Amino acid sequence: MAKASSRLLSLLLRLLAAAATLCATVIMATSHDSTTLFGFTLDAKFQYTPSFKFFVVANAIGCGYTLGVLFVPPTSSLSRLVIVLDVMVAMLLTAAVAATGALAQLGKRGNSHAGWLPICGQIPSFCHHVMGALICALVGAVAYLLLLLHTIRTVPSPLLP
């Protein structure tokens, strides 16, 4: 009974992580806005910023990996590799959230020391999409953290045969 509930919890955490990273990818990939300032049109798209591109790719990798791992049997010899890859995906998602969060904060508040003005007042739709994608990705990263903690607790020796 305990083993079945443990496997169910792992499955639910993986499904949560897959759904969250898929949502983050779709929301960021569809984010765009434009405004006109002093006769110039300002476009905002995720493709214009390297950290936003990294965010989309990292979340797509996280979602694809999570969906692929659902088909690996827990008794397989690959299950030990899955634990190591889970750690790597968790770090990748954390890095993507951190990089995008820093840039989103810069867009929202600006940087008075560098003379960069905040832009979220001019393109609010884009900033709201970025914030929504960040929230979804953070949920995915937390799901991976919980999955790793669950694995460490339930598997007696996750890396040793």
Side-chain angles (χ1 to χ4, degrees):
M1 179 73 177
K3 193 172 191 176
S5 65
S6 174
R7 291 175 71 186
L8 179 64
L9 180 60
S10 292
L11 175 69
L12 291 175
L13 286 171
R14 285 198 189 279
L15 289 175
L16 175 65
T21 54
L22 177 65
C23 287
T25 302
V26 170
I27 291 170
M28 183 64 88
T30 59
S31 64
H32 63 303
D33 197 2
S34 63
T35 187
T36 304
L37 293 171
F38 305 116
F40 295 104
T41 301
L42 173 68
D43 288 326
K45 295 182 179 181
F46 87 93
Q47 296 98 329
Y48 298 160
T49 309
S51 67
F52 289 172
K53 286 189 225 177
F54 170 62
F55 181 85
V56 169
V57 170
N59 278 285
I61 289 171
C63 181
Y65 165 76
T66 304
L67 293 176
V69 166
L70 292 175
F71 298 106
V72 175
T75 57
S76 168
S77 61
L78 292 176
S79 63
R80 300 214 187 274
L81 178 63
V82 166
I83 295 168
V84 173
L85 292 175
D86 282 349
V87 172
M88 293 173 65
V89 168
M91 289 188 297
L92 180 69
L93 292 175
T94 302
V97 168
T100 302
L103 199 58
Q105 183 68 11
L106 183 64
K108 185 175 181 177
R109 304 229 187 251
N111 186 336
S112 61
H113 300 292
W116 296 336
L117 299 174
I119 62 164
C120 284
Q122 286 77 32
I123 48 172
S125 175
F126 179 75
C127 291
H128 294 326
H129 269 82
V130 170
M131 186 58 61
L134 270 170
I135 291 169
C136 289
L138 186 61
V139 168
V142 168
Y144 259 99
L145 174 68
L146 293 174
L147 181 66
L148 289 170
L149 291 174
H150 174 69
T151 302
I152 289 169
R153 183 179 177 274
T154 58
V155 178
S157 181
L159 298 178
L160 300 175

